[in-house]
Amino acid sequence: MINIPNKPRRGRPPKVNRDNQDTKAELIRSGLEQLTEFGFTGSGIDQILKRVGVPKGSFYHYFASKEAFGIVVIASYEQYFNQKLNRYLLDDSITPLCRISHFVEDAKVGMIRHQFKRGCLVGNLGQEIDLLPLSYRQILINIFNHWQAQISACLKLAQQQGQLSPQADCDLLAELFWIGWEGAVTRAKLTQSAQPLESYHNHFIHTLPK
Amino acid sequence: MINIPNKPRRGRPPKVNRDNQDTKAELIRSGLEQLTEFGFTGSGIDQILKRVGVPKGSFYHYFASKEAFGIVVIASYEQYFNQKLNRYLLDDSITPLCRISHFVEDAKVGMIRHQFKRGCLVGNLGQEIDLLPLSYRQILINIFNHWQAQISACLKLAQQQGQLSPQADCDLLAELFWIGWEGAVTRAKLTQSAQPLESYHNHFIHTLPK
Protein backbone atom coordinates (compact mmCIF):
# COMPACT_ATOMS: atom_id res chain seq x y z
CA MET A 1 0.00 0.00 0.00
CA ILE A 2 1.31 3.39 -0.87
CA ASN A 3 1.14 5.61 2.18
CA ILE A 4 0.02 8.73 0.47
CA PRO A 5 0.14 11.05 3.49
CA ASN A 6 3.78 10.24 4.21
CA LYS A 7 4.99 10.11 0.64
CA PRO A 8 7.46 12.89 -0.09
CA ARG A 9 5.49 15.48 -2.02
CA ARG A 10 6.74 15.87 -5.59
CA GLY A 11 6.03 18.44 -8.29
CA ARG A 12 4.30 21.73 -7.62
CA PRO A 13 3.53 22.66 -4.01
CA PRO A 14 -0.12 22.90 -2.96
CA LYS A 15 -1.82 25.56 -5.03
CA VAL A 16 -3.00 27.73 -2.16
CA ASN A 17 0.47 28.07 -0.60
CA ARG A 18 2.18 28.73 -3.90
CA ASP A 19 -0.36 31.40 -4.76
CA ASN A 20 0.11 33.09 -1.40
CA GLN A 21 3.87 33.18 -1.83
CA ASP A 22 3.59 34.37 -5.42
CA THR A 23 1.06 37.03 -4.56
CA LYS A 24 3.16 38.33 -1.69
CA ALA A 25 6.26 38.45 -3.91
CA GLU A 26 4.28 40.18 -6.64
CA LEU A 27 2.95 42.75 -4.18
CA ILE A 28 6.52 43.49 -3.07
CA ARG A 29 7.69 43.78 -6.68
CA SER A 30 4.75 46.04 -7.51
CA GLY A 31 5.46 48.15 -4.40
CA LEU A 32 9.13 48.38 -5.37
CA GLU A 33 8.22 49.77 -8.81
CA GLN A 34 5.58 52.09 -7.43
CA LEU A 35 7.67 53.46 -4.55
CA THR A 36 10.80 53.87 -6.69
CA GLU A 37 8.83 55.94 -9.16
CA PHE A 38 6.46 57.86 -6.90
CA GLY A 39 7.82 57.63 -3.35
CA PHE A 40 5.90 56.37 -0.31
CA THR A 41 3.44 59.24 0.07
CA GLY A 42 2.66 59.26 -3.64
CA SER A 43 2.01 55.52 -3.76
CA GLY A 44 -1.46 54.30 -2.89
CA ILE A 45 -2.12 50.72 -1.84
CA ASP A 46 -4.83 50.72 -4.53
CA GLN A 47 -2.35 51.31 -7.35
CA ILE A 48 0.04 48.68 -5.97
CA LEU A 49 -2.79 46.12 -5.80
CA LYS A 50 -4.05 47.08 -9.25
CA ARG A 51 -0.73 46.22 -10.90
CA VAL A 52 -0.87 42.75 -9.35
CA GLY A 53 -4.59 42.31 -9.95
CA VAL A 54 -5.58 41.24 -6.45
CA PRO A 55 -8.65 42.56 -4.61
CA LYS A 56 -8.20 45.40 -2.15
CA GLY A 57 -9.20 43.40 0.89
CA SER A 58 -6.40 40.89 0.48
CA PHE A 59 -3.55 43.36 1.10
CA TYR A 60 -3.92 43.11 4.87
CA HIS A 61 -3.81 39.34 4.61
CA TYR A 62 -0.15 39.74 3.64
CA PHE A 63 0.93 42.89 5.48
CA ALA A 64 -0.19 44.38 8.79
CA SER A 65 -0.05 47.95 7.48
CA LYS A 66 1.36 50.20 4.76
CA GLU A 67 4.25 50.89 7.16
CA ALA A 68 5.04 47.17 7.50
CA PHE A 69 4.71 46.76 3.73
CA GLY A 70 7.13 49.66 3.14
CA ILE A 71 9.72 48.06 5.43
CA VAL A 72 9.57 44.82 3.42
CA VAL A 73 9.82 46.77 0.15
CA ILE A 74 12.86 48.70 1.44
CA ALA A 75 14.51 45.42 2.54
CA SER A 76 13.85 43.97 -0.89
CA TYR A 77 15.39 47.02 -2.58
CA GLU A 78 18.35 46.87 -0.24
CA GLN A 79 18.97 43.22 -1.13
CA TYR A 80 18.68 43.94 -4.87
CA PHE A 81 20.99 46.95 -4.61
CA ASN A 82 23.58 45.17 -2.47
CA GLN A 83 23.83 42.42 -5.08
CA LYS A 84 24.38 45.08 -7.72
CA LEU A 85 27.01 46.90 -5.63
CA ASN A 86 28.84 43.66 -4.84
CA ARG A 87 28.80 42.63 -8.50
CA TYR A 88 30.64 45.83 -9.43
CA LEU A 89 32.65 46.80 -6.36
CA LEU A 90 34.06 43.31 -5.73
CA ASP A 91 34.99 42.67 -9.38
CA ASP A 92 38.71 42.02 -8.97
CA SER A 93 39.33 41.78 -12.70
CA ILE A 94 39.52 45.59 -12.85
CA THR A 95 40.96 48.44 -10.75
CA PRO A 96 38.91 49.68 -7.76
CA LEU A 97 38.17 53.08 -9.33
CA CYS A 98 37.02 51.38 -12.55
CA ARG A 99 34.58 49.34 -10.47
CA ILE A 100 32.90 52.54 -9.28
CA SER A 101 32.72 53.73 -12.90
CA HIS A 102 31.13 50.43 -13.97
CA PHE A 103 28.50 50.76 -11.23
CA VAL A 104 27.71 54.28 -12.45
CA GLU A 105 27.48 53.06 -16.04
CA ASP A 106 25.05 50.31 -15.03
CA ALA A 107 22.87 52.77 -13.08
CA LYS A 108 22.88 55.10 -16.09
CA VAL A 109 21.74 52.33 -18.43
CA GLY A 110 19.01 51.42 -15.93
CA MET A 111 17.71 54.99 -15.72
CA ILE A 112 17.68 55.31 -19.52
CA ARG A 113 15.79 52.00 -19.80
CA HIS A 114 13.09 53.35 -17.48
CA GLN A 115 12.97 56.73 -19.26
CA PHE A 116 14.41 58.43 -16.15
CA LYS A 117 11.19 57.73 -14.25
CA ARG A 118 12.76 55.52 -11.61
CA GLY A 119 15.27 57.00 -9.25
CA CYS A 120 16.77 55.48 -6.14
CA LEU A 121 14.18 54.19 -3.67
CA VAL A 122 16.35 55.06 -0.68
CA GLY A 123 17.00 58.54 -2.07
CA ASN A 124 13.30 59.07 -2.76
CA LEU A 125 12.34 58.05 0.75
CA GLY A 126 15.10 60.18 2.25
CA GLN A 127 13.59 63.17 0.49
CA GLU A 128 10.13 62.64 2.00
CA ILE A 129 11.45 61.53 5.39
CA ASP A 130 9.22 63.86 7.44
CA LEU A 131 6.12 62.24 5.99
CA LEU A 132 7.25 58.67 6.66
CA PRO A 133 6.71 56.40 9.66
CA LEU A 134 9.27 57.27 12.34
CA SER A 135 10.92 53.85 12.11
CA TYR A 136 12.06 54.54 8.53
CA ARG A 137 14.65 57.19 9.37
CA GLN A 138 17.13 54.84 11.03
CA ILE A 139 16.51 52.14 8.42
CA LEU A 140 17.46 54.56 5.62
CA ILE A 141 20.48 55.94 7.52
CA ASN A 142 21.72 52.38 8.07
CA ILE A 143 21.43 51.60 4.37
CA PHE A 144 23.41 54.70 3.40
CA ASN A 145 26.04 53.76 6.02
CA HIS A 146 26.30 50.30 4.52
CA TRP A 147 26.64 51.62 0.95
CA GLN A 148 29.20 54.11 2.21
CA ALA A 149 31.25 51.29 3.80
CA GLN A 150 31.22 49.43 0.47
CA ILE A 151 32.49 52.44 -1.53
CA SER A 152 34.97 53.23 1.23
CA ALA A 153 36.40 49.69 1.07
CA CYS A 154 36.80 50.11 -2.68
CA LEU A 155 38.60 53.43 -2.21
CA LYS A 156 40.87 51.92 0.45
CA LEU A 157 41.82 49.20 -2.00
CA ALA A 158 42.64 51.92 -4.56
CA GLN A 159 44.79 53.49 -1.88
CA GLN A 160 46.64 50.21 -1.29
CA GLN A 161 47.20 49.89 -5.04
CA GLY A 162 48.58 53.42 -5.25
CA GLN A 163 45.71 54.91 -7.30
CA LEU A 164 44.61 57.17 -4.47
CA SER A 165 46.63 59.36 -2.12
CA PRO A 166 47.50 57.76 1.25
CA GLN A 167 46.18 60.99 2.82
CA ALA A 168 42.68 60.56 1.35
CA ASP A 169 39.88 60.16 3.92
CA CYS A 170 38.10 57.23 2.25
CA ASP A 171 35.12 57.18 4.63
CA LEU A 172 34.46 60.87 4.03
CA LEU A 173 34.92 60.53 0.26
CA ALA A 174 32.51 57.58 0.26
CA GLU A 175 29.91 59.60 2.16
CA LEU A 176 30.35 62.46 -0.31
CA PHE A 177 30.02 60.02 -3.21
CA TRP A 178 26.51 59.02 -2.12
CA ILE A 179 25.44 62.56 -1.18
CA GLY A 180 26.34 63.77 -4.65
CA TRP A 181 25.05 60.63 -6.33
CA GLU A 182 21.54 61.10 -4.94
CA GLY A 183 21.63 64.70 -6.16
CA ALA A 184 22.71 63.52 -9.62
CA VAL A 185 19.97 60.87 -9.83
CA THR A 186 17.36 63.48 -8.88
CA ARG A 187 18.67 65.88 -11.51
CA ALA A 188 18.71 63.11 -14.15
CA LYS A 189 15.04 62.41 -13.38
CA LEU A 190 14.19 66.10 -13.63
CA THR A 191 16.04 66.76 -16.90
CA GLN A 192 15.33 63.27 -18.32
CA SER A 193 18.98 63.03 -19.26
CA ALA A 194 22.01 60.94 -18.29
CA GLN A 195 24.29 63.97 -18.46
CA PRO A 196 24.06 64.83 -14.70
CA LEU A 197 25.13 61.26 -13.84
CA GLU A 198 28.07 61.44 -16.26
CA SER A 199 29.20 64.91 -15.20
CA TYR A 200 28.92 64.01 -11.54
CA HIS A 201 30.85 60.77 -11.94
CA ASN A 202 33.63 62.39 -14.00
CA HIS A 203 33.98 65.15 -11.43
CA PHE A 204 34.07 62.73 -8.50
CA ILE A 205 36.76 60.52 -10.05
CA HIS A 206 38.73 63.49 -11.43
CA THR A 207 38.88 65.32 -8.08
CA LEU A 208 39.97 62.29 -6.02
CA PRO A 209 43.35 63.07 -4.42
CA LYS A 210 45.88 61.08 -6.49
CA MET B 1 -16.85 122.43 0.44
CA ILE B 2 -14.64 119.45 0.91
CA ASN B 3 -15.03 117.13 -2.01
CA ILE B 4 -14.97 113.89 -0.17
CA PRO B 5 -15.16 111.52 -3.16
CA ASN B 6 -12.05 113.08 -4.75
CA LYS B 7 -10.06 113.49 -1.59
CA PRO B 8 -6.93 111.30 -1.66
CA ARG B 9 -7.71 108.31 0.51
CA ARG B 10 -5.58 108.20 3.65
CA GLY B 11 -4.97 105.49 6.23
CA ARG B 12 -5.89 101.85 5.77
CA PRO B 13 -7.27 100.73 2.40
CA PRO B 14 -10.87 99.42 2.24
CA LYS B 15 -11.18 96.42 4.53
CA VAL B 16 -12.48 93.92 1.98
CA ASN B 17 -9.59 94.46 -0.48
CA ARG B 18 -6.95 94.37 2.20
CA ASP B 19 -8.36 91.13 3.55
CA ASN B 20 -8.33 89.51 0.12
CA GLN B 21 -4.74 90.51 -0.46
CA ASP B 22 -3.70 89.42 3.01
CA THR B 23 -5.48 86.10 2.72
CA LYS B 24 -3.91 85.37 -0.65
CA ALA B 25 -0.45 86.27 0.67
CA GLU B 26 -1.04 84.13 3.76
CA LEU B 27 -2.15 81.19 1.63
CA ILE B 28 1.05 81.50 -0.41
CA ARG B 29 3.15 81.70 2.75
CA SER B 30 1.35 78.71 4.23
CA GLY B 31 1.81 76.80 0.95
CA LEU B 32 5.49 77.68 0.91
CA GLU B 33 5.98 76.23 4.40
CA GLN B 34 3.88 73.17 3.68
CA LEU B 35 5.44 72.36 0.28
CA THR B 36 9.00 72.97 1.51
CA GLU B 37 8.44 70.53 4.33
CA PHE B 38 6.22 67.89 2.70
CA GLY B 39 6.48 68.39 -1.08
CA PHE B 40 3.55 68.90 -3.45
CA THR B 41 2.02 65.42 -3.28
CA GLY B 42 2.28 65.32 0.50
CA SER B 43 0.63 68.71 0.93
CA GLY B 44 -3.16 68.81 1.05
CA ILE B 45 -5.08 72.00 0.35
CA ASP B 46 -6.87 71.31 3.64
CA GLN B 47 -3.68 71.57 5.71
CA ILE B 48 -2.61 74.74 3.87
CA LEU B 49 -6.01 76.35 4.55
CA LYS B 50 -5.99 75.18 8.15
CA ARG B 51 -2.76 77.04 8.91
CA VAL B 52 -4.32 80.25 7.60
CA GLY B 53 -7.70 79.59 9.18
CA VAL B 54 -9.85 80.19 6.11
CA PRO B 55 -12.76 77.96 5.07
CA LYS B 56 -12.14 75.29 2.45
CA GLY B 57 -14.46 76.79 -0.13
CA SER B 58 -12.52 80.04 -0.33
CA PHE B 59 -9.32 78.51 -1.80
CA TYR B 60 -10.72 78.48 -5.32
CA HIS B 61 -11.66 82.13 -4.93
CA TYR B 62 -7.93 82.87 -4.97
CA PHE B 63 -6.50 80.09 -7.16
CA ALA B 64 -7.95 78.22 -10.13
CA SER B 65 -6.44 74.89 -9.05
CA LYS B 66 -3.77 73.26 -6.88
CA GLU B 67 -1.53 73.35 -10.00
CA ALA B 68 -2.00 77.13 -10.37
CA PHE B 69 -1.42 77.58 -6.64
CA GLY B 70 1.79 75.55 -6.82
CA ILE B 71 3.10 77.75 -9.65
CA VAL B 72 2.55 80.87 -7.53
CA VAL B 73 4.21 79.22 -4.53
CA ILE B 74 7.22 78.21 -6.65
CA ALA B 75 7.48 81.78 -8.01
CA SER B 76 7.34 83.11 -4.46
CA TYR B 77 10.10 80.72 -3.36
CA GLU B 78 12.18 81.64 -6.40
CA GLN B 79 11.89 85.35 -5.55
CA TYR B 80 12.82 84.72 -1.92
CA PHE B 81 15.76 82.53 -2.89
CA ASN B 82 17.06 84.91 -5.55
CA GLN B 83 17.16 87.70 -3.00
CA LYS B 84 19.14 85.44 -0.70
CA LEU B 85 21.54 84.38 -3.48
CA ASN B 86 22.05 87.97 -4.59
CA ARG B 87 22.69 89.10 -1.02
CA TYR B 88 25.56 86.62 -0.72
CA LEU B 89 26.89 86.17 -4.26
CA LEU B 90 26.99 89.88 -5.09
CA ASP B 91 28.60 90.91 -1.78
CA ASP B 92 31.72 92.61 -3.14
CA SER B 93 33.20 93.19 0.31
CA ILE B 94 34.55 89.60 0.25
CA THR B 95 36.16 87.21 -2.27
CA PRO B 96 33.86 85.31 -4.66
CA LEU B 97 34.59 81.92 -3.09
CA CYS B 98 33.88 83.33 0.39
CA ARG B 99 30.49 84.48 -0.90
CA ILE B 100 29.58 80.87 -1.74
CA SER B 101 30.71 79.85 1.75
CA HIS B 102 28.56 82.56 3.33
CA PHE B 103 25.52 81.36 1.37
CA VAL B 104 26.14 77.81 2.60
CA GLU B 105 26.52 79.06 6.19
CA ASP B 106 23.21 80.92 5.95
CA ALA B 107 21.43 77.85 4.55
CA LYS B 108 22.91 75.75 7.35
CA VAL B 109 21.66 78.16 10.01
CA GLY B 110 18.23 78.12 8.36
CA MET B 111 18.04 74.33 8.36
CA ILE B 112 19.10 74.16 12.02
CA ARG B 113 16.47 76.79 12.90
CA HIS B 114 13.76 74.60 11.34
CA GLN B 115 15.12 71.40 12.96
CA PHE B 116 16.12 70.07 9.50
CA LYS B 117 12.47 69.72 8.54
CA ARG B 118 12.57 72.20 5.69
CA GLY B 119 14.69 71.42 2.69
CA CYS B 120 14.82 73.19 -0.64
CA LEU B 121 11.40 73.55 -2.28
CA VAL B 122 12.86 73.26 -5.78
CA GLY B 123 14.87 70.19 -4.77
CA ASN B 124 11.80 68.60 -3.15
CA LEU B 125 9.68 69.16 -6.23
CA GLY B 126 12.46 67.88 -8.49
CA GLN B 127 12.41 64.65 -6.53
CA GLU B 128 8.69 64.08 -7.05
CA ILE B 129 8.67 65.38 -10.62
CA ASP B 130 6.78 62.43 -12.11
CA LEU B 131 3.83 63.10 -9.81
CA LEU B 132 3.64 66.82 -10.62
CA PRO B 133 1.69 68.72 -13.26
CA LEU B 134 3.59 68.54 -16.57
CA SER B 135 4.15 72.29 -16.63
CA TYR B 136 6.34 72.11 -13.51
CA ARG B 137 9.30 70.31 -15.12
CA GLN B 138 10.44 73.22 -17.27
CA ILE B 139 9.76 75.72 -14.48
CA LEU B 140 12.08 73.81 -12.13
CA ILE B 141 14.76 73.30 -14.81
CA ASN B 142 14.70 77.05 -15.53
CA ILE B 143 15.17 77.86 -11.84
CA PHE B 144 18.17 75.53 -11.56
CA ASN B 145 19.62 77.08 -14.73
CA HIS B 146 19.23 80.52 -13.22
CA TRP B 147 20.88 79.50 -9.92
CA GLN B 148 23.63 77.83 -11.92
CA ALA B 149 24.25 81.06 -13.86
CA GLN B 150 24.56 82.96 -10.58
CA ILE B 151 27.13 80.54 -9.10
CA SER B 152 28.93 80.41 -12.46
CA ALA B 153 29.23 84.22 -12.52
CA CYS B 154 30.71 84.09 -9.03
CA LEU B 155 33.22 81.42 -10.09
CA LYS B 156 34.16 83.43 -13.19
CA LEU B 157 34.87 86.40 -10.95
CA ALA B 158 37.09 84.15 -8.81
CA GLN B 159 38.84 83.17 -12.05
CA GLN B 160 39.42 86.83 -12.95
CA GLN B 161 40.82 87.45 -9.48
CA GLY B 162 43.20 84.49 -9.77
CA GLN B 163 41.52 82.31 -7.11
CA LEU B 164 40.44 79.71 -9.64
CA SER B 165 42.32 78.11 -12.52
CA PRO B 166 41.77 79.78 -15.93
CA GLN B 167 41.10 76.25 -17.25
CA ALA B 168 38.14 75.67 -14.89
CA ASP B 169 34.77 75.14 -16.61
CA CYS B 170 32.70 77.48 -14.41
CA ASP B 171 29.33 76.55 -15.92
CA LEU B 172 29.97 72.86 -15.32
CA LEU B 173 31.28 73.47 -11.79
CA ALA B 174 28.20 75.57 -11.04
CA GLU B 175 25.90 72.80 -12.28
CA LEU B 176 27.80 70.30 -10.12
CA PHE B 177 27.54 72.64 -7.14
CA TRP B 178 23.73 72.52 -7.24
CA ILE B 179 23.55 68.81 -8.00
CA GLY B 180 25.66 68.05 -4.93
CA TRP B 181 23.97 70.73 -2.85
CA GLU B 182 20.53 69.19 -3.29
CA GLY B 183 21.98 65.83 -2.27
CA ALA B 184 23.54 67.40 0.82
CA VAL B 185 20.29 69.14 1.84
CA THR B 186 18.41 65.85 1.51
CA ARG B 187 21.01 64.04 3.61
CA ALA B 188 20.94 66.80 6.25
CA LYS B 189 17.16 66.36 6.50
CA LEU B 190 17.52 62.61 6.82
CA THR B 191 20.27 62.64 9.45
CA GLN B 192 18.97 65.82 11.14
CA SER B 193 22.49 67.15 11.11
CA ALA B 194 24.41 70.00 9.47
CA GLN B 195 27.44 67.80 8.91
CA PRO B 196 26.50 66.76 5.32
CA LEU B 197 26.21 70.44 4.34
CA GLU B 198 29.59 71.24 5.90
CA SER B 199 31.38 68.21 4.43
CA TYR B 200 29.91 68.85 1.02
CA HIS B 201 30.82 72.53 1.04
CA ASN B 202 34.39 71.88 2.22
CA HIS B 203 34.87 69.25 -0.47
CA PHE B 204 33.45 71.47 -3.22
CA ILE B 205 35.68 74.43 -2.34
CA HIS B 206 38.71 72.22 -1.65
CA THR B 207 38.52 70.39 -5.01
CA LEU B 208 38.09 73.52 -7.14
CA PRO B 209 41.01 73.71 -9.59
CA LYS B 210 43.28 76.45 -8.22
Side-chain angles (χ1 to χ4, degrees):
Chain A
M1 194 186 84
I2 301 170
N3 187 351
I4 293 175
N6 289 331
K7 189 189 171 193
R9 197 181 44 68
R10 289 190 304 176
R12 295 168 67 172
K15 193 162 190 316
V16 62
N17 284 340
R18 190 186 63 85
D19 278 357
N20 275 346
Q21 281 303 97
D22 280 3
T23 305
K24 191 171 182 181
E26 277 182 45
L27 283 171
I28 295 168
R29 189 163 52 244
S30 169
L32 203 50
E33 288 175 11
Q34 191 77 22
L35 267 66
T36 306
E37 198 161 330
F38 301 116
F40 187 79
T41 316
S43 293
I45 296 297
D46 285 1
Q47 298 149 292
I48 291 162
L49 290 166
K50 204 177 168 186
R51 288 191 185 210
V52 180
V54 301
K56 193 173 176 178
S58 67
F59 178 81
Y60 295 97
H61 171 66
Y62 297 103
F63 303 99
S65 60
K66 192 183 171 190
E67 174 173 355
F69 175 65
I71 290 174
V72 175
V73 169
I74 294 169
S76 167
Y77 183 82
E78 190 185 7
Q79 190 184 16
Y80 150 81
F81 202 84
N82 280 344
Q83 281 173 359
K84 184 194 285 280
L85 272 183
N86 285 339
R87 187 161 68 249
Y88 290 106
L89 300 185
L90 303 179
D91 175 6
D92 58 12
S93 70
I94 52 174
T95 66
L97 297 186
C98 269
R99 301 178 197 179
I100 295 176
S101 302
H102 281 202
F103 158 72
V104 168
E105 185 61 27
D106 174 89
K108 196 182 92 178
V109 169
M111 284 200 78
I112 292 170
R113 191 190 315 123
H114 294 293
Q115 295 92 42
F116 300 99
K117 284 190 178 168
R118 297 204 191 144
C120 167
L121 176 62
V122 173
N124 281 5
L125 297 179
Q127 184 74 40
E128 54 175 338
I129 192 67
D130 292 305
L131 285 167
L132 301 183
L134 288 176
S135 63
Y136 285 22
R137 192 185 298 273
Q138 198 53 53
I139 293 173
L140 298 176
I141 291 173
N142 291 347
I143 293 175
F144 274 126
N145 285 343
H146 182 62
W147 292 355
Q148 179 181 324
Q150 284 169 285
I151 290 282
S152 181
C154 201
L155 293 175
K156 282 170 185 161
L157 197 61
Q159 224 168 13
Q160 285 166 28
Q161 297 182 4
Q163 295 140 21
L164 192 63
S165 158
Q167 275 75 48
D169 182 340
C170 295
D171 289 341
L172 179 62
L173 287 170
E175 184 191 6
L176 289 164
F177 173 79
W178 289 113
I179 284 177
W181 177 251
E182 293 299 336
V185 168
T186 305
R187 186 65 76 91
K189 274 179 78 176
L190 177 65
T191 59
Q192 300 175 300
S193 154
Q195 179 265 321
L197 303 176
E198 290 162 1
S199 299
Y200 170 70
H201 164 254
N202 289 340
H203 185 69
F204 180 80
I205 296 290
H206 183 72
T207 57
L208 285 174
K210 296 301 179 336
Chain B
M1 191 184 86
I2 299 169
N3 187 350
I4 293 173
N6 289 331
K7 189 187 169 194
R9 198 178 45 66
R10 291 190 302 176
R12 294 168 69 172
K15 194 163 189 315
V16 62
N17 285 340
R18 191 187 65 85
D19 277 358
N20 276 345
Q21 282 303 95
D22 280 4
T23 306
K24 191 171 183 181
E26 277 182 45
L27 283 169
I28 295 168
R29 189 165 51 245
S30 169
L32 203 50
E33 288 174 11
Q34 191 77 21
L35 268 66
T36 306
E37 199 161 330
F38 302 116
F40 187 80
T41 317
S43 293
I45 296 297
D46 285 0
Q47 297 149 292
I48 291 162
L49 290 167
K50 203 177 170 186
R51 289 190 184 211
V52 181
V54 301
K56 193 173 177 178
S58 67
F59 178 80
Y60 295 97
H61 172 66
Y62 297 103
F63 303 100
S65 60
K66 192 183 172 191
E67 173 173 354
F69 176 64
I71 290 174
V72 175
V73 170
I74 294 169
S76 167
Y77 183 81
E78 190 185 7
Q79 191 184 16
Y80 150 82
F81 203 84
N82 280 343
Q83 281 174 359
K84 185 194 284 280
L85 273 183
N86 286 338
R87 187 162 67 248
Y88 291 106
L89 301 186
L90 303 179
D91 175 5
D92 57 13
S93 70
I94 50 173
T95 66
L97 297 186
C98 270
R99 300 178 197 179
I100 296 176
S101 302
H102 281 203
F103 157 73
V104 168
E105 186 60 28
D106 175 88
K108 197 182 91 177
V109 169
M111 285 199 78
I112 292 170
R113 192 189 315 124
H114 294 292
Q115 294 92 42
F116 300 100
K117 285 189 176 168
R118 297 204 192 146
C120 166
L121 176 63
V122 173
N124 280 5
L125 296 179
Q127 185 74 39
E128 55 175 336
I129 192 66
D130 291 305
L131 285 167
L132 301 183
L134 288 177
S135 63
Y136 284 23
R137 191 184 299 272
Q138 197 55 52
I139 292 173
L140 298 176
I141 291 173
N142 291 347
I143 293 175
F144 274 126
N145 286 342
H146 183 62
W147 292 356
Q148 180 179 324
Q150 285 169 283
I151 290 283
S152 181
C154 200
L155 292 174
K156 282 170 186 161
L157 197 61
Q159 225 168 13
Q160 285 167 27
Q161 297 182 5
Q163 295 140 21
L164 191 63
S165 159
Q167 274 76 47
D169 181 340
C170 295
D171 289 342
L172 179 62
L173 287 170
E175 184 190 7
L176 289 164
F177 173 79
W178 290 113
I179 284 177
W181 177 251
E182 294 298 335
V185 168
T186 305
R187 185 66 76 92
K189 275 179 78 176
L190 177 66
T191 59
Q192 300 175 299
S193 153
Q195 180 265 324
L197 302 177
E198 290 162 0
S199 298
Y200 170 70
H201 164 255
N202 289 340
H203 186 69
F204 180 80
I205 296 290
H206 183 72
T207 58
L208 284 174
K210 296 301 179 332

